[in-house]
Amino acid sequence: MKSFTYQRVTTPVEAAAAIAAKPGAKFLAGGTNLLDLMKLQIETPTHLIDIGRIGLDKIEPTANGGVRIGALVTNTDLAADPLIRKDYGILSRALVAGASGQLRNKATTAGNLLQRTRCPYFYDTNQPCNKRVPGSGCAAIAGFSRQLAVIGSSDACIATYPGDMAVAMTALDATVETINPAGKTRQVPISQLYRLPGKTPHLETTLEKNELITSVVLPAPAGGTHIYHKVRDRASYAFALVSVAAILFKDGTGRIAVGGIAPKPWRVPGAESLLPSGAKPFSAKLMEGARPTKESEFKVNLVERTIALVLKEGKS
């Protein structure tokens, strides 16, 4: 690990100002992703700004009947919160399906959203990776690609977004709230938070330079049946091959976001009008334009089968 300096801050504005003042700085919260990458020298920040004491650790109702989740609420606390379990069950189930109990105790809401989209070749510094070194190439395309993206990828990167929480929040139409060094705030729909790789896979989100996530806002409960189904190679501590976050209503309509198949949580609202017709028409529209490799093409069928299972469960 390379040497770095360390700073504690006490307010969100101070945190944003601190990172603006130190080129090469990174925010540190739970550290479950950043510290691993620092050990491998994939991330080499010159300065760490500890935001663990800036508050932002509450889950509170909003005036319009929704809920505001502070950026530093841990995954464990969020999954166990009575309001989340009652009205946003899809989110609680997705969180419990992710990582391990120890990691969930440390991982934060904002940190989870901002974990790096990655693949095994991203971790191997002996291999070319356009995420680590823009323009160096993508070893995954000609390598082992079974777990990687089948849609939304590019000739520069086929890495898959690994998280569970963001998939559920995408189905819930969450909004991310931020603040910049000048104290200006803005709201970003989660559907607009993540970038597709294109020619610049090292740019993963639409956050502006030095912008800090302060909270995530969920709208008023949608009702319906909430289902999170995760297909993986082992029963725990594994990224999804395919995950489905679904909110299903009695009239056959619903919202569905899919994980494990793209560089971001994948949702196509235009496909959701096809849900009453069944899994096959819906998944055909959802996966329109898919570009799997020979090793990953099974995922296209797995998406359809998993959605069919979820729809069946929603009717039972």
Side-chain angles (χ1 to χ4, degrees):
M1 187 182 292
K2 294 184 180 294
S3 61
F4 56 88
T5 52
Y6 173 84
Q7 176 184 2
R8 287 179 177 170
V9 291
T10 57
T11 69
V13 172
E14 184 185 0
I19 202 167
K22 291 278 189 177
K26 292 277 186 180
F27 292 126
L28 174 67
T32 57
N33 189 204
L34 177 61
L35 294 182
D36 280 347
L37 297 179
M38 287 175 65
K39 292 173 185 177
L40 296 170
Q41 296 190 16
I42 294 169
E43 293 278 8
T44 56
T46 57
H47 186 68
L48 288 183
I49 299 166
D50 187 342
I51 59 173
R53 292 168 174 79
I54 65 173
L56 306 181
D57 59 353
K58 300 290 190 298
I59 302 170
E60 301 170 317
T62 62
N64 65 355
V67 64
R68 176 172 283 103
I69 303 161
L72 297 180
V73 172
T74 67
N75 288 181
T76 294
D77 287 345
L78 184 56
D81 184 82
L83 181 61
I84 298 299
R85 293 182 65 184
K86 174 179 176 288
D87 293 331
Y88 306 95
I90 190 177
L91 178 55
S92 182
R93 294 182 182 104
L95 285 161
V96 171
S100 65
Q102 294 93 330
L103 286 173
R104 292 194 295 270
N105 287 342
K106 292 294 292 181
T108 62
T109 298
N112 191 303
L113 289 178
L114 297 180
Q115 63 182 298
R116 297 296 304 271
T117 296
R118 55 200 189 268
C119 79
Y121 297 95
F122 172 75
Y123 284 112
D124 186 350
T125 55
N126 294 311
Q127 300 287 342
C129 174
N130 288 317
K131 281 186 173 296
R132 280 188 282 102
V133 184
S136 63
C138 175
I141 290 175
F144 183 68
S145 57
R146 176 177 175 272
Q147 291 185 305
L148 303 184
V150 296
I151 196 166
S153 59
S154 73
D155 293 337
C157 181
I158 60 171
T160 309
Y161 180 79
D164 294 279
M165 183 184 76
V167 181
M169 286 186 169
T170 298
L172 288 165
D173 286 329
T175 299
V176 175
E177 297 184 324
T178 70
I179 193 167
N180 70 12
K184 182 179 178 181
T185 62
R186 71 175 180 132
Q187 296 184 327
V188 183
I190 197 166
S191 61
Q192 299 174 23
L193 178 64
Y194 300 103
R195 297 175 184 263
L196 293 179
K199 296 181 179 180
T200 55
H202 60 291
L203 302 176
E204 296 179 352
T205 75
T206 58
L207 292 180
E208 297 172 357
K209 187 177 181 181
N210 305 323
E211 198 169 22
L212 172 71
I213 292 177
T214 55
S215 60
V216 178
V217 177
L218 303 179
T225 300
H226 289 215
I227 299 170
Y228 189 77
H229 192 87
K230 183 175 182 178
V231 182
R232 46 188 164 177
D233 284 328
R234 58 178 185 266
S236 66
Y237 201 56
F239 294 148
L241 292 170
V242 169
S243 63
V244 174
I247 304 173
L248 303 175
F249 305 112
K250 290 183 178 179
D251 63 0
T253 63
R255 304 182 204 157
I256 289 183
V258 182
I261 63 170
K264 58 184 276 187
W266 198 254
R267 184 181 175 200
V268 179
E272 290 171 358
S273 63
L274 300 173
L275 276 173
S277 301
K280 190 168 185 176
F282 171 79
S283 63
K285 182 68 173 178
L286 180 80
M287 302 302 291
E288 201 170 58
R291 304 193 319 164
T293 66
K294 287 185 178 180
E295 291 178 345
S296 65
E297 61 186 359
F298 76 96
K299 283 192 176 188
V300 177
N301 290 329
L302 185 58
V303 168
E304 182 183 329
R305 299 203 313 268
T306 306
I307 290 170
L309 180 65
V310 166
L311 294 180
K312 182 178 179 180
E313 184 177 342
K315 292 177 181 178
S316 61

